[in-house]
Amino acid sequence: MTLVIQTGCFGGDINTPNLDRLAANGLLFNRFHTSPICAPTRSMILSGNDNHVAGMGSMFPVNGTSRQGKPGYEQHLTDRVVTVAQLLKDGGYQTFMAGKWHLGNSLPFIPYSKGFEKSFALMGGGANHFGNQPFFENQPVQYMEDSVPVPFPADKFSTDVYTEKMIAFMKGAQKDKPFFAYLAYTAPHWPLQVPDEWLDKYKGRYDMGYDSLRVLRFQGQKKKAIIPADAKLPPRLSSVRPWNLLTAEEKKIEARKMELYAAMVENLDKHIGQLIQSLKDSKQSDNTLIVFMSDNGAAAEDFYSHPSFGRFIQKQYDNRYENMGKANSFVSYGPQWAQAGAAPFKLFKEYPTEGGINTPLIIYGKGVKRKAGIQHAFINVMDLAPSFLEMAGLTYPGTYHNHEIKAMLGQSCYSFIKGESNTIHDENYVYGLEHYGGCLLIKGNWKITNTSDPFDETAFALYDIEKDLGETNDLSKSNPGKFKEMMKEWEIFKKKTGVIPLDQGERIHVDVSK
C-alpha cells in the first residue's frame, strides 16, 4: 500500500478510528524507514535483509543492462535468504498470506514456496481493485491461491477480498498452534477506486486544494507532536501548478482525486477493524501482536497521463469526472497531492528522501509493555523479521536446506517494545539502501542521499535529519569531515550488498523533483 502519513493518529485528516485506537494503546513510530518503492520493501520485510541480498536490487527490468544476470538483481526472493515465514512454519507456526506479493511469479518463488501454507496473492505490482482487467499492455494480472492460478472474485473489491480471505484463514487455524499472518493490502494504491457507497464519502472535503492541505497536514503533525514544534516545511515543488492558478473545472477534478484516496483509506481502516473484531471473537486478540506499516511514501505516478503507458490505459478506462473512482476508471492523485501527503518531508515514492522512505509504523498487542505513545527511536523495515523470530523463540540459521544463507542485517526491536531498552540501534548502526540509482545511507542523525540521474556518486548531499526533516540544507561542503565519513560507509555498504550502478543514459524516473 501507499498510505503515507495521512491517518488521524499521524496528524492527518482522514477518519481512521481503528488505526487510531491501535496507536493510542500501542507504539507509534515516527522514524520508521522503508525502501522508496514497494517490492524492495517487501523483500526486506520477509528476509530481514537488504533488498539486493534478497534479490530485489531492482523491481524494474534489467534485461540488456550491466545488471542482467548479476547477484542482487534476480527480481525474486533468492536462496541467499530464508523468509521469516519459512522459519516460523518450521518452528510450528501456521502461516497465512493475502494480498500483493510482487516477489517472483514462477513456482519456486511464490508465497506457497516461501513459507506460506495458505495464501491468496496478487502476483504482480498492481491491479484493478475490482477484477482481472489489466492496465499495462501485454502484462496480464495474475492471482494464485496456494500453488494454483485463480481468477479474482467477480465484482468484488480488493480490500474486501483480502480481508475475507485472511479472516477465513485465521478462523480455520488449529487452535493449539500459533499463527503468523501477512496481509498486504493494495488499497490505497492506484488506481483510486472504491465501492459505490464510498464514492461521495469525502465529497467537498478537499475543495481547499493541495497547497492548503499540505500546510494543514504539517500543522496537524506538530499538534500531535509527531514532528518537532520548530520543524520547517520544505519548499513546494515548482513543477506543480499552484492551486490558485487552476481553473474551476481543474480544481473540481483535482479535489475529486483526493476525495477518492481518502475514501480508500477509511475503507481500509474499516476492514482492519473487522480483522481485529475477528481476533476478539475467536479469543485470540490478547495473544496477538499487530504490526501496521506502509511500504513506501506517497505515490506521485500518474500512468493514465504517461506518454507511453497512458495510450493503452486510456483505451481501457474512462476518467470522465462522473466516472472517477469506479471500476472502469484509472485515477491517480499525482505529485501535487503526493507532496501534501508527504509533508513534512521532501519528495515522495521512488525517491530516497524522507518523503519516500519515512512511513507509518504502529505496533500493538501481545508483548508490548513499553508505555504507549510516540516513539522516536530509529527503526527500519529489516528489523521486523528478526523481531518476529525472537518473539517466537527462534533463531536465524547459517544454513537452510544444506545451503549457506546470509545473516540478517536487521536487529530485533523486541527488547525495545518490552520496555527493556530505550534504543533499537546504537549510534554506529548504518542503514543503507539503493534502488535503481537512488540511494541513501543513515548513521545516527546523519544522512547522505543521491537523487541524481544517472547514478552519480559525486552528487550526494549530507543532511542532519534531526534538525532538518525536509532535507533543505545540504551540509556536505560545510561539514566535509562528516561527509567523508559517510561516503566511506557508502563504499562499505555497496561492496557488502552488491550494488551495481546504472548504465550511462539509464533514467531513474520522470523527474518531478524540481
Side-chain angles (χ1 to χ4, degrees):
M1 72 179 76
T2 308
L3 188 63
V4 302
I5 302 174
Q6 303 188 15
T7 58
C9 55
F10 278 91
D13 51 276
I14 301 174
N15 185 35
T16 53
N18 294 296
L19 288 173
D20 293 354
R21 277 191 290 271
L22 292 182
N25 296 289
L27 308 179
L28 182 154
F29 291 82
N30 65 1
R31 295 187 66 200
F32 176 61
H33 287 71
T34 65
S35 156
I37 202 159
C38 53
T41 293
R42 295 165 197 277
S43 72
M44 296 160 80
I45 293 170
L46 294 173
S47 69
N49 219 314
D50 177 79
N51 56 304
H52 296 81
V53 178
M56 293 300 300
S58 176
M59 61 172 277
F60 303 129
V62 296
N63 292 341
T65 74
S66 59
R67 301 182 304 288
Q68 182 176 352
K70 300 292 178 59
Y73 298 90
E74 293 89 346
Q75 299 189 304
H76 59 73
L77 290 176
T78 71
D79 59 6
R80 291 187 296 275
V81 298
V82 56
T83 71
V84 65
Q86 289 171 293
L87 295 176
L88 288 171
K89 182 181 177 183
D90 294 346
Y93 276 68
Q94 300 165 94
T95 52
F96 312 134
M97 183 269 170
K100 180 175 170 181
W101 180 245
H102 206 193
L103 295 172
N105 291 341
S106 57
L107 193 59
F109 313 117
I110 65 174
Y112 188 75
S113 303
K114 291 296 180 181
F116 292 101
E117 58 186 296
K118 297 292 295 180
S119 62
F120 179 86
L122 167 66
M123 301 308 297
N128 187 308
H129 293 285
F130 286 97
N132 298 297
Q133 185 179 4
F135 42 71
F136 293 139
E137 195 167 11
N138 301 318
Q139 294 186 35
V141 179
Q142 181 183 5
Y143 292 88
M144 295 195 78
E145 186 141 20
D146 300 338
S147 60
V148 180
V150 293
F152 189 83
D155 301 319
K156 298 276 284 186
F157 184 57
S158 67
T159 308
D160 292 329
V161 172
Y162 299 142
T163 304
E164 290 167 6
K165 290 289 184 181
M166 184 55 72
I167 288 176
F169 293 159
M170 294 191 300
K171 283 184 175 180
Q174 293 178 232
K175 303 305 179 188
D176 59 343
K177 289 181 66 177
F179 67 80
F180 171 70
Y182 172 56
L183 179 51
Y185 285 113
T186 48
H189 193 290
W190 46 257
L192 304 182
Q193 299 168 330
V194 286
D196 287 349
E197 62 270 25
W198 288 81
L199 283 168
D200 294 327
K201 183 81 174 179
Y202 282 82
K203 191 172 181 61
R205 177 77 68 88
Y206 299 103
D207 290 351
M208 87 288 276
Y210 40 74
D211 289 333
S212 295
L213 181 65
R214 180 169 174 255
V215 174
L216 289 172
R217 292 260 173 87
F218 180 67
Q219 293 172 341
Q221 290 176 75
K222 283 189 174 183
K223 186 176 181 179
K224 285 187 174 286
I226 302 292
I227 59 174
D230 61 354
K232 293 180 174 56
L233 193 62
R236 69 184 305 284
L237 293 172
S238 60
S239 58
V240 172
R241 289 175 64 200
W243 182 261
N244 61 9
L245 297 184
L246 270 60
T247 66
E249 183 65 19
E250 288 172 330
K251 289 178 178 179
K252 178 182 174 183
I253 292 170
E254 284 297 324
R256 186 61 170 153
K257 295 176 183 179
M258 190 61 216
E259 290 170 11
L260 296 171
Y261 181 92
M264 289 184 83
V265 172
E266 184 174 343
N267 177 276
L268 175 69
D269 181 86
K270 173 192 169 186
H271 286 82
I272 290 169
Q274 292 175 357
L275 283 163
I276 294 169
Q277 188 59 50
S278 176
L279 289 169
K280 290 179 179 178
D281 292 345
S282 61
K283 306 286 192 298
Q284 296 179 98
S285 60
D286 291 340
N287 200 38
T288 302
L289 180 82
I290 297 174
V291 177
F292 173 85
M293 61 165 286
S294 183
D295 55 357
N296 47 245
E301 310 103 323
D302 181 4
F303 285 110
Y304 188 87
S305 304
H306 194 276
S308 55
F309 295 121
R311 289 194 294 271
F312 177 79
I313 295 172
Q314 289 169 22
K315 291 177 182 177
Q316 310 297 315
Y317 291 90
D318 174 7
N319 269 17
R320 289 174 301 164
Y321 177 81
E322 59 271 20
N323 199 57
M324 290 173 69
K326 296 183 180 180
N328 63 333
S329 70
F330 192 104
V331 178
S332 306
Y333 76 177
Q336 57 275 28
W337 292 107
Q339 189 181 30
F345 304 124
K346 180 180 179 180
L347 298 175
F348 25 67
K349 180 181 176 182
E350 293 193 26
Y351 289 91
T353 52
E354 293 296 288
I357 63 171
N358 193 323
T359 70
L361 174 68
I362 300 169
I363 300 180
Y364 164 88
K366 177 72 172 179
V368 178
K369 298 178 181 177
R370 190 174 196 83
K371 183 180 178 181
I374 300 167
Q375 310 299 316
H376 303 289
F378 178 83
I379 181 172
N380 71 76
V381 66
M382 293 187 297
D383 298 330
L384 297 178
S387 303
F388 300 153
L389 291 180
E390 184 180 358
M391 292 171 196
L394 301 172
T395 57
Y396 192 80
T399 60
Y400 191 73
H401 292 173
N402 299 316
H403 184 83
E404 185 176 349
I405 53 176
K406 297 287 187 179
M408 287 182 169
L409 294 181
Q411 295 180 6
S412 173
C413 68
Y414 193 31
S415 294
F416 181 86
I417 70 172
K418 287 191 296 183
E420 296 175 356
S421 64
N422 291 322
T423 59
I424 298 168
H425 300 287
D426 64 28
E427 66 276 8
N428 294 313
Y429 178 79
V430 171
Y431 176 64
L433 192 138
E434 187 273 342
H435 183 264
Y436 210 55
C439 40
L440 66 101
L441 189 136
I442 297 173
K443 184 178 181 181
N445 294 322
W446 292 97
K447 176 181 178 181
I448 52 172
T449 187
N450 184 345
T451 59
S452 66
D453 182 16
F455 190 100
D456 177 5
E457 294 189 12
T458 66
F460 275 88
L462 173 70
Y463 300 105
D464 181 341
I465 52 175
E466 181 180 38
K467 298 176 182 176
D468 183 16
L469 290 178
E471 295 168 278
T472 59
N473 185 20
D474 178 8
L475 302 174
S476 59
K477 300 292 190 295
S478 60
N479 196 337
K482 179 58 70 173
F483 184 64
K484 183 177 181 181
E485 173 194 332
M486 296 292 283
M487 289 304 296
K488 283 184 178 178
E489 294 284 8
W490 169 246
E491 289 298 319
I492 294 169
F493 171 80
K494 279 197 308 178
K495 292 174 183 176
K496 185 177 184 178
T497 57
V499 174
I500 300 174
L502 298 184
D503 296 338
Q504 188 68 29
E506 281 193 86
R507 295 192 61 79
I508 300 173
H509 36 54
V510 177
D511 191 1
V512 293
S513 64
K514 300 296 187 291

